[in-house]
Amino acid sequence: MPRAMSVGARRGGALPGSRWDAAEVAERGFVSELACTIWVPRRTAENLIAKSRALAGELPATRAALEAGEISFQHAMVVVNQVWSVPVEARPAFEAAVMLAALSLQGLGEERTLTQLTADVFADIIFDGVTPSGLGTGIRGAVTVTVPVLTLMGLSEEPGFLEGYGPIDPDTARQLAAGAPSFTRILVHPETGAVLSVGRDRYTVPEDLKRFLRVRDKTCRFPGCNRSAAHCDLDHSLDWQFDGLTAHDNLAHLCPACHALKSETGWQVLHHR
């Protein structure tokens, strides 16, 4: 069984040789403390502040529409998220185009309400980047589902695991797998199938150990950070230069921001049995 993971809070100032100045250390330390206090990911705490500033300053029309009940809070958040990808000088025009977009679709033969049109416009922006003017490129996500092979074959009722969500029932796992465009097969011996350590022989983590750690950790190991392990760094908890081993109990996934927080402040990763 893999060891449980946690991050210990040895708080302090900048470490010797830190590339962050005192102000940066203070800001990042505060955001991390706040995120842990209110039980949200650190990035969520940062976003709450940034989104509040955007609504208060950069997006007066969006704020007015939200106050008037013309759009929902979720719609306002989509505008905020999208406007950050637009050059500063173009943001007022972008906001105006988004707020007029739903109204322009109303007309004879259109059975959707304004609220439904607004929701559909925002969905088009999120998924396809398509507005009546054709602006944007859109975002399409990928879903990772881990399914035991015996469950997939109908010979076991062991649950599957949906990345970013958690355990899912066997029938749902089979349905998702049936429509999957691709598979990654991981077959391991329960005791010896995965390399758990290469000691001090090498710094680079072998591919089979990477796969093992990705399945074990699933996400960044910082409290509340849900960034997928696939988009994180594999960090030596005890640094390599301090004789840390390239081993499963000295490696943990940390997203780049949390990795930097560990390197530049007093936060440490602690492996518990």
Side-chain angles (χ1 to χ4, degrees), residues 4 7 72 78 84 125 129 145-146 159 174 186 189 197 214 223 227 254:
V7 176
S72 70
V78 171
W84 285 337
I125 292 173
V145 182
T146 301
R174 294 185 190 107
I186 303 177
H189 188 280
S197 175
R214 180 177 173 183
R227 186 164 186 178
L254 294 176

Side-chain angles (χ1 to χ4, degrees), residues 193-195 206-213:
V195 176
E207 289 301 319
D208 53 354
L209 180 53
K210 285 182 180 179
R211 286 193 297 270
F212 168 81
L213 293 170

Side-chain angles (χ1 to χ4, degrees), residues 3-268:
R3 293 182 176 183
M5 304 286 295
S6 70
V7 176
R10 180 177 65 81
R11 295 180 290 273
L15 297 177
S18 173
R19 65 178 183 272
W20 290 349
D21 59 23
E24 184 79 3
V25 169
E27 178 183 354
R28 301 216 185 193
F30 169 73
V31 172
S32 299
E33 293 277 0
L34 178 62
C36 290
T37 299
I38 62 177
W39 287 77
V40 298
R42 184 182 52 78
R43 180 62 65 184
T44 299
E46 290 180 340
N47 284 341
L48 285 172
I49 298 172
K51 289 175 178 177
S52 298
R53 287 173 174 166
L55 284 174
E58 291 186 279
L59 301 171
T62 304
R63 185 180 71 252
L66 180 61
E67 291 174 345
E70 297 173 355
I71 61 174
S72 70
F73 177 75
Q74 287 76 14
H75 291 149
M77 291 301 96
V78 171
V79 176
V80 171
N81 290 333
Q82 292 294 322
V83 83
W84 285 337
S85 65
V86 177
V88 175
E89 63 275 10
R91 290 177 182 178
F94 174 83
E95 181 189 28
V98 171
M99 293 292 106
L100 300 170
L103 291 174
S104 68
L105 295 177
Q106 287 188 303
L108 294 176
E110 179 54 70
E111 298 180 355
R112 290 173 293 177
T113 66
L114 178 59
T115 300
Q116 291 171 329
L117 287 169
T118 302
D120 288 343
V121 166
F122 278 93
D124 288 341
I125 292 173
I126 294 171
F127 293 120
D128 298 315
V130 177
T131 67
S133 62
L135 176 68
T137 57
I139 299 173
R140 287 287 176 178
V143 178
T144 300
V145 182
T146 301
V147 188
V149 66
L150 292 180
T151 297
L152 203 59
M153 297 170 63
L155 301 177
S156 170
E157 291 302 303
E158 185 177 351
F161 187 89
L162 178 62
E163 188 173 20
Y165 175 79
I168 55 177
D169 64 88
D171 288 337
T172 300
R174 294 185 190 107
Q175 291 176 9
L176 291 173
S182 63
F183 285 89
T184 299
R185 183 180 63 185
I186 303 177
L187 299 177
V188 297
H189 188 280
E191 295 180 356
T192 62
V195 176
L196 298 183
S197 175
V198 292
R200 292 288 299 173
D201 294 337
R202 58 187 295 189
Y203 174 81
T204 304
V205 183
E207 289 301 319
D208 53 354
L209 180 53
K210 285 182 180 179
R211 286 193 297 270
F212 168 81
L213 293 170
R214 180 177 173 183
V215 172
R216 182 198 70 181
D217 290 351
K218 298 182 178 65
T219 65
C220 172
R221 301 310 301 162
F222 193 88
C225 184
N226 294 321
R227 186 164 186 178
S228 169
H231 303 291
C232 293
D233 303 328
L234 256 181
D235 172 61
H236 286 73
S237 302
L238 175 62
D239 292 350
W240 174 264
Q241 63 264 33
F242 300 138
D243 293 331
L245 301 178
T246 301
H248 71 102
D249 55 359
N250 191 50
L251 290 166
H253 283 91
L254 294 176
C255 71
C258 293
H259 191 175
L261 189 71
K262 169 182 173 287
S263 299
E264 302 298 330
T265 68
W267 288 88
Q268 291 181 315

